[in-house]
Amino acid sequence: MDKKKRIVIALGGNALGNTLPEQMAAVKITSKAIVDLIEEGCEVVIAHGNGPQVGMINNAMSALSREDPNQPNTPLSVCVAMSQAYIGYDLQNALREELLNRNITHIPVATMITQIRVDSDDPAFLNPSKPIGHFMTKEQAQEAEEKYGYIMREDAGRGYRRVVASPKPAQIIEIGAIRTLVDSGQLVIACGGGGIPVTLNGNHLKGASAVIDKDFASELLAEELDADVLIILTAVEKVAVNFGKPEEKWLDNLTTAEARTYMDEGHFAPGSMLPKVQAAVKFAESKEGRTALITLLEKAREGILGKTGTHIHR
């Protein structure tokens, strides 16, 4: 590589597993791919999703409140905070071990519990659509609505689930601390699960019943840290148009204008590839010379060298 690049990596759920044992195994593989990039001379910052983990924590805390009437219901924002610490604990230890295994002894690893401000008047709050937690019967759903004020929706004949808003991230509260750690040479894990969603009332931060898309949070983190590259890791090596059809086409390079055209034509699935492409386009357009890369975890090193993945630029 010609110069040291600052890279923000958005890890998807496949990089972390779905259970405690799966996560312990997955972070070891994930750490190898991340340290590969460090060995290429990159300065790396890590963000990640938390779908399975926050669901597990939310279910466990809900079960506790059902079993013990004295235990209050745990707010979703607190569950997100728990997931950040739990994932960060495993991930930072796996990264530290992998660095030391390669005789890289000068890079400390730290997890920052990160709050992200969302706007209380974000339109997403008017139409909560993100399902979380376990499935319930109609009677259980009615009880949750009455007891906790949850919004419950029937989910494709499988039962009822709680739905929450997914507002856009507006401000990373701890960005100053994150920037200081990154600038001092530390390997930082931040904005886990899209960040703990909070709203601002005067000087008071209040947890919101919401989840923030980790790709949009990672994009904001990359902008705030003046990163050169945003890597969004997913389950495919490249982005495709006409995905799954006979005329399927895998894309190596995309201008932001081309990506917008494909989005307008409906090529990318909402809740899947669409937010990744939207985040990539936003980052690539935010400053001259910035590039986004969408690829597989195990292809990240080849991707940053320009050998694979979908590269999105102005």
Side-chain angles (χ1 to χ4, degrees):
M1 297 174 65
D2 295 330
K3 68 180 183 70
K4 190 170 186 178
K5 292 181 183 292
R6 176 170 288 185
I7 295 173
V8 170
I9 300 178
L11 297 176
N14 60 333
L16 298 171
N18 293 299
T19 65
L20 274 70
E22 282 184 15
Q23 179 167 299
M24 287 290 289
V27 294
K28 291 184 180 299
I29 298 169
T30 298
S31 295
K32 292 181 187 300
I34 291 169
V35 177
D36 283 347
L37 294 175
I38 292 172
E39 285 193 327
E40 288 294 338
C42 299
E43 185 179 62
V44 177
V45 184
I46 302 164
H48 60 79
N50 71 342
Q53 294 83 3
V54 78
M56 177 181 65
I57 292 166
N58 182 70
N59 289 346
M61 301 310 289
S62 295
L64 176 62
S65 66
R66 289 194 301 271
E67 292 170 8
D68 184 353
N70 294 318
Q71 287 287 346
N73 192 47
T74 305
L76 182 56
S77 56
V78 175
C79 294
V80 174
M82 290 178 177
S83 76
Q84 286 189 357
Y86 155 53
I87 294 168
Y89 164 60
D90 278 349
L91 188 54
Q92 73 182 32
N93 282 345
L95 285 163
R96 176 183 176 276
E97 184 176 341
E98 185 63 27
L99 286 164
L100 293 176
N101 285 346
R102 302 195 200 186
N103 294 316
I104 302 173
T105 59
H106 65 285
I107 301 179
V109 188
T111 298
M112 174 64 67
I113 303 303
T114 313
Q115 302 173 94
I116 292 188
R117 181 179 64 79
V118 297
D119 292 327
S120 55
D121 59 355
D122 189 298
F125 285 108
L126 300 176
N127 183 32
S129 59
K130 187 77 171 179
I132 64 163
H134 63 289
F135 288 96
M136 301 183 192
T137 65
K138 186 174 183 179
E139 292 72 24
Q140 289 171 330
Q142 288 174 339
E143 182 181 353
E145 287 179 331
E146 294 167 4
K147 190 173 182 180
Y148 303 125
Y150 288 176
I151 299 171
M152 307 296 298
R153 288 193 185 156
E154 200 275 334
D155 189 333
R158 296 180 294 176
Y160 289 78
R161 292 181 79 189
R162 180 186 179 191
V163 292
V164 297
S166 185
K168 292 292 191 295
Q171 178 190 9
I172 300 170
I173 301 300
E174 287 79 18
I175 190 60
I178 295 168
R179 188 180 291 117
T180 297
L181 289 171
V182 173
D183 288 346
S184 71
Q186 299 208 36
L187 175 51
V188 179
I189 303 160
C191 297
I196 303 164
V198 294
T199 56
L200 185 62
N201 183 6
N203 290 326
H204 177 66
L205 294 170
K206 180 182 180 182
S209 292
V211 291
I212 302 168
D213 187 287
K214 70 103 174 40
D215 296 316
F216 294 133
S218 301
E219 190 282 327
L220 180 59
L221 179 64
E223 280 197 46
E224 291 286 352
L225 294 176
D226 195 24
D228 301 294
V229 182
L230 170 64
I231 302 180
I232 299 176
L233 300 176
T234 186
V236 291
E237 187 170 343
K238 299 178 184 180
V239 177
V241 292
N242 298 310
F243 183 70
K245 300 177 181 178
E247 61 272 30
E248 179 179 87
K249 178 185 177 184
W250 298 97
L251 305 170
D252 297 314
N253 287 283
L254 272 180
T255 66
T256 55
E258 289 169 335
R260 288 185 181 279
T261 297
Y262 287 136
M263 285 191 284
D264 291 342
E265 291 173 353
H267 283 282
F268 310 126
S272 179
M273 186 58 74
L274 181 60
K276 300 180 192 314
V277 176
Q278 288 173 326
V281 167
K282 188 174 186 298
F283 180 71
E285 290 182 339
S286 64
K287 185 178 178 180
E288 191 67 39
R290 287 178 175 170
T291 303
L293 167 66
I294 301 176
T295 193
L296 287 165
L297 170 68
E298 56 267 32
K299 297 289 185 177
R301 185 176 195 165
E302 292 178 50
I304 205 67
L305 295 172
K307 296 178 180 179
T308 192
T310 300
H311 299 256
I312 299 176
H313 50 85
R314 279 190 182 180

